[in-house]
Amino acid sequence: MLDKPEPKKTARQADEISAALTLAIHQHRIAPGTKLGEDELADIYGVSRTIIRAALLSLSHQQLVEIHRNRGAFVAQPSLREAREVFEARELIEPRTAHSAAARATADDIKRLHHHINNEHAALAKADKGAALHLSGLFHIEIARIADQTTIAGFVEALIARSSLIIALYWRRESALCEKHAHHALVEAIAAGDGTLAEELMRSHLLDLHSALDLRDRQTPGRSLKEALSP
């Protein structure tokens, strides 16, 4: 009799694949609209389709993947309307989050923020814009964590995930990403406990990112999953 796979091992493998696919989507190695075939993913990761299905279901709950009956799973493709709404929501929520973070940040928090910035700049130096964008998103999530507002931090994390897909579709001005002073100035304001300045800087930064989007329909060139997910 064949041994049945251990539920804990199966769940762990699904979580690992979900995390790997999340990173690939955030780093723009897999474009919005890409079909995520179960057979192809099972071959790439060397696991069963059951595990792949569980990973894709998890990603659908995070709104990174859309599962269509009789068609399969696809990387989510936010509409123009959603793109506008997501960035408008970020412009409403994150400035106040930055204000709260300035009142609560510790020396260790500031070190972690600087660490994020250094990693982001290292990715830019390597011309790895996908990694830089992912790290930039983590920077914003870290500020929400420092603000110590669990519910709002959850909203911010979800908005950042959608932003990654939106940027992959509608990005037109890469100079907004390469602005090295925006995050530095924000950290300095938070470190100084200047909530008003941190709030203003965050709002200005998000408006700049929003203005870097070309909110017109466009096609994103695709690539094979095997190529996109290769180490």
Side-chain angles (χ1 to χ4, degrees):
M1 180 180 295
L2 293 175
D3 292 334
K4 293 183 179 180
E6 298 177 15
K8 288 184 179 179
K9 181 179 179 181
T10 298
R12 185 178 69 252
Q13 288 177 313
D15 288 344
E16 289 171 352
I17 292 168
S18 175
L21 288 172
T22 296
L23 184 61
I25 291 168
H26 284 170
Q27 292 185 342
H28 296 177
R29 288 184 281 128
I30 308 177
T34 299
K35 182 174 175 59
L36 300 172
E38 290 181 6
D39 288 334
E40 188 173 4
L41 288 171
D43 181 58
I44 290 169
Y45 289 110
V47 297
S48 69
R49 289 178 59 188
T50 299
I51 292 171
I52 294 299
R53 202 170 292 123
L56 294 175
L57 184 61
S58 174
L59 292 175
S60 74
H61 292 157
Q62 300 173 46
Q63 297 186 307
L64 288 175
V65 165
E66 297 171 351
I67 298 176
H68 301 281
R69 188 174 181 180
N70 299 326
R71 290 180 57 212
F74 298 80
V75 177
Q77 199 162 1
S79 66
L80 291 167
R81 177 175 178 175
E82 184 179 356
R84 296 187 187 98
E85 289 178 353
V86 164
F87 273 86
E88 287 169 3
R90 290 187 64 182
E91 289 157 19
L92 285 172
I93 294 172
E94 290 192 64
R96 291 299 302 169
T97 300
H99 192 288
S100 298
R104 294 174 171 83
T106 66
D108 285 341
D109 291 329
I110 300 303
K111 286 180 182 178
R112 276 193 292 272
L113 290 175
H114 279 300
H115 181 67
H116 276 289
I117 292 173
N118 291 337
N119 287 341
E120 184 181 343
H121 291 172
L124 285 171
K126 295 177 182 176
D128 191 345
K129 295 182 177 65
L133 280 165
H134 176 57
L135 290 163
S136 176
L138 293 178
F139 173 85
H140 284 257
I141 291 169
E142 182 68 15
I143 289 176
R145 185 198 66 75
I146 293 168
D148 196 25
Q149 298 169 329
T150 305
T151 301
I152 291 175
F155 290 151
V156 170
E157 189 165 0
L159 289 169
I160 293 292
R162 299 305 283 173
S163 295
S164 179
L165 297 169
I166 290 163
I167 288 170
L169 279 171
Y170 304 114
W171 195 249
R172 69 175 172 85
R173 182 163 57 81
E174 293 182 353
S175 61
L177 172 65
C178 300
E179 172 54 63
K180 295 185 177 182
H181 303 296
H183 283 180
H184 275 301
L186 189 50
V187 173
E188 288 175 4
I190 292 172
D194 191 336
T196 300
L197 180 58
E199 184 172 346
E200 291 174 358
L201 289 169
M202 179 65 87
R203 182 176 293 108
S204 175
H205 175 46
L206 290 172
L207 286 170
D208 192 40
L209 288 176
H210 195 168
S211 72
L213 299 176
D214 181 5
L215 295 180
R216 297 175 293 180
D217 287 312
R218 65 170 58 189
Q219 297 271 330
T220 303
R223 59 195 296 203
S224 73
L225 278 179
K226 194 167 186 178
E227 180 187 5
L229 296 172
S230 60

